[in-house]
């Protein structure tokens, strides 16, 4: 059978990321971003055969962007598109794996929207627009939460009244599942271990960041919870804070829930600590020039990350390796070095030359000889979505 072409779509509220992937290939045939959708400045950027291009979008909504994308996809796919894989952030407890989208699945994603009000509605917009444009193609949903549905109950339940779980579905769900799954499979391949007999701690560090304990190909615990705010220090998200912070700010400053929500999600994390930027590259440069806020932000980021990795060690029967991935995990020897320096108890140590070498898409082992594995593995969520889509086509 000739190789099939899969279009992968990831819709945000004002953007669509896309990648066209040919079965059996890691390099994308075409990939890009439609952004500022819904405004008069909406624009489509794409890259094909190493060439970058862009065009303004007429109309400006998700459907208009996908319609304008159509000829590009058709051309790059040689007129042969076989399926579309959609990233969906929240699948609740209903979805523990990827699935083909039908009316019932669409309704289930809609019903889960209260748990992800910023993410599932735009994901749905993209799915509905793509299904209208490509009604004859199979559409597959790949959920960020699905990988973590294997968490044991003692890891996913909060110590809250049971009715909040039973009636309101308040529990830990976890996110970034597609990335943690992809890099743990790559780690097994890289080290010659079997996926179903290997144990990993994975750190996906980007603008959003999370850790995951993976046992025999299954997620056993993760740092994000009911929402992506829980856990690590992130670009603009606080990660864990004392839950009483809310009532403290209401009492002492009279802040509204909306203001607190905005502060925790958009003004905190690296940005809040540094007072400078949410971008790790900017902070590393500022730290070099002696900016105290940038230094502190990096120290807190690394310490909290190390603490989370050590805690997730509880979920593993043995450790086969720690994985760094995401924009920061793949590109920051400084963050990897500072994080591992807090993990002497796990006997971790880095080879500084190997650590320095693994940047800009170069992956590989970075641990010192005789110490547990530490691996840098570039993530590829689009490829994992395409792999899932192809598996369902079978
Ligand atoms: P992501 O959300 O995975 O795209 O990751 C974005 C984060 O990766 C931002 O904080 C970037 O500053 C960070 N990043 C990308 N390249 C580098 C680099 N060379 N050094 C440090 N951080 C980087």
């Amino acid at each position: 059978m000739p190789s099939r072409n899969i279009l992968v779509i990831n819709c945000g509220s004002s953007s669509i990321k896309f990648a066209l992937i040919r079965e059996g290939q890691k390099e994308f045939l075409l990939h890009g971003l439609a952004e500022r959708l819904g405004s008069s400045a909406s624009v489509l950027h794409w890259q094909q055969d190493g060439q970058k291009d862009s065009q303004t979008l007429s109309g400006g909504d998700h459907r208009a962007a996908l319609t304008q994308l159509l000829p590009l996809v058709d051309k790059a796919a040689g007129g042969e598109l076989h399926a579309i894989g959609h990233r969906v952030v929240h699948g609740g407890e209903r979805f523990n794996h990827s699935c083909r989208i039908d009316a019932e699945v669409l309704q289930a994603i809609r019903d889960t929207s209260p748990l992800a009000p910023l993410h599932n509605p735009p994901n749905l917009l993209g799915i509905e627009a793509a299904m209208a444009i490509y009604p004859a193609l199979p559409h597959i949903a790949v959920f960020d939460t699905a990988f973590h549905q294997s968490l044991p109950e003692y890891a996913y339940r909060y110590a809250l009244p049971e009715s909040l779980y039973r009636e309101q579905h308040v529990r830990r769900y976890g996110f970034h599942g597609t990335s943690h799954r992809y890099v743990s499979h790559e780690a097994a391949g890289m080290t010659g271990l079997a996926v179903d007999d290997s144990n990993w701690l994975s750190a996906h560090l980007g603008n959003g960041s999370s850790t995951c304990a993976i046992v025999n190909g299954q997620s056993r615990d993760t740092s994000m919870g009911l929402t992506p705010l829980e856990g690590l220090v992130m670009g603009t998200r606080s990660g864990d804070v004392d839950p009483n912070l809310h009532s403290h700010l209401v009492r002492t400053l009279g802040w509204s829930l909306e203001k607190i929500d905005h502060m925790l999600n958009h003004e905190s994390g690296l940005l809040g600590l540094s007072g400078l930027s949410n971008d790790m590259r900017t902070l590393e440069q500022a730290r070099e020039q002696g900016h105290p806020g940038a230094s502190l932000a990096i120290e807190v980021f690394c310490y909290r990350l190390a603490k989370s990795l050590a805690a997730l060690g509880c979920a593993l029967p043995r450790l086969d390796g720690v994985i760094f991935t995401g924009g920061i995990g793949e590109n920051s020897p400084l963050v990897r070095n500072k994080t591992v320096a807090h993990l002497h108890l796990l006997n971790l140590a880095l080879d500084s030359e190997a650590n320095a070498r693994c940047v800009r898409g170069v992956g590989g082992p970075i641990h010192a000889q005789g110490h547990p594995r530490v691996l840098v593995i570039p993530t590829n969520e689009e490829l994992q979505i395409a792999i899932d889509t192809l598996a369902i086509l079978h």
Side-chain angles (χ1 to χ4, degrees), residues 17 176 204-209 234-235 270 277-285 301 325-335 359-360 379 381:
K17 278 194 208 149
H176 290 146
H204 176 107
L205 311 174
N207 250 323
S209 296
M234 308 181 211
L270 294 173
S277 172
N278 65 318
D279 191 293
M280 186 58 86
R281 245 172 321 194
T282 307
L283 295 182
E284 289 191 11
Q285 284 157 10
F301 182 91
T325 192
I328 300 172
E330 293 167 28
N331 291 297
S332 177
L334 179 76
V335 165
V359 290
R360 289 185 288 281
T379 194
E381 291 166 278

Side-chain angles (χ1 to χ4, degrees), residues 106-173:
L106 272 178
Q107 189 55 44
I109 297 172
R110 220 170 274 128
D111 292 344
T112 312
S113 290
L115 290 171
L118 299 181
H119 294 104
N120 274 26
N123 293 162
L124 274 166
L125 265 182
I127 294 173
E128 284 167 341
M131 288 179 94
I133 297 169
Y134 297 100
L137 286 185
H139 291 258
I140 310 298
V142 179
F143 300 90
D144 258 25
T145 50
F147 184 52
H148 303 300
Q149 280 297 301
S150 49
L151 259 60
E153 190 169 10
Y154 58 75
Y156 72 69
R157 285 288 296 276
Y158 290 114
L160 295 171
E162 201 205 1
S163 59
L164 285 177
Y165 171 58
R166 299 274 169 232
E167 291 158 26
Q168 304 300 322
H169 316 289
V170 173
R171 52 159 283 179
R172 308 184 61 252
Y173 290 95

Side-chain angles (χ1 to χ4, degrees), residues 60-107:
D61 64 1
H62 287 72
R63 183 146 178 191
L66 285 173
T67 306
Q68 246 173 285
L69 185 56
L70 193 76
L72 287 176
V73 171
D74 257 353
K75 190 161 166 244
E80 301 244 352
L81 186 60
H82 296 86
I84 300 187
H86 297 268
R87 178 189 185 216
V88 181
V89 167
H90 216 309
E93 290 189 319
R94 163 80 166 69
F95 297 103
N96 58 7
H97 47 69
S98 306
C99 66
R100 189 159 175 168
I101 302 172
D102 57 17
E104 193 240 331
V105 169
L106 272 178
Q107 189 55 44

Side-chain angles (χ1 to χ4, degrees), residues 242-263:
D242 186 327
N244 267 333
L245 178 62
H246 280 77
S247 44
H248 178 75
L249 294 175
V250 170
R251 268 197 315 271
T252 55
L253 297 173
W255 283 16
S256 68
L257 208 54
E258 289 70 29
K259 187 170 167 68
I260 298 171
D261 219 47
H262 189 266
M263 180 273 291

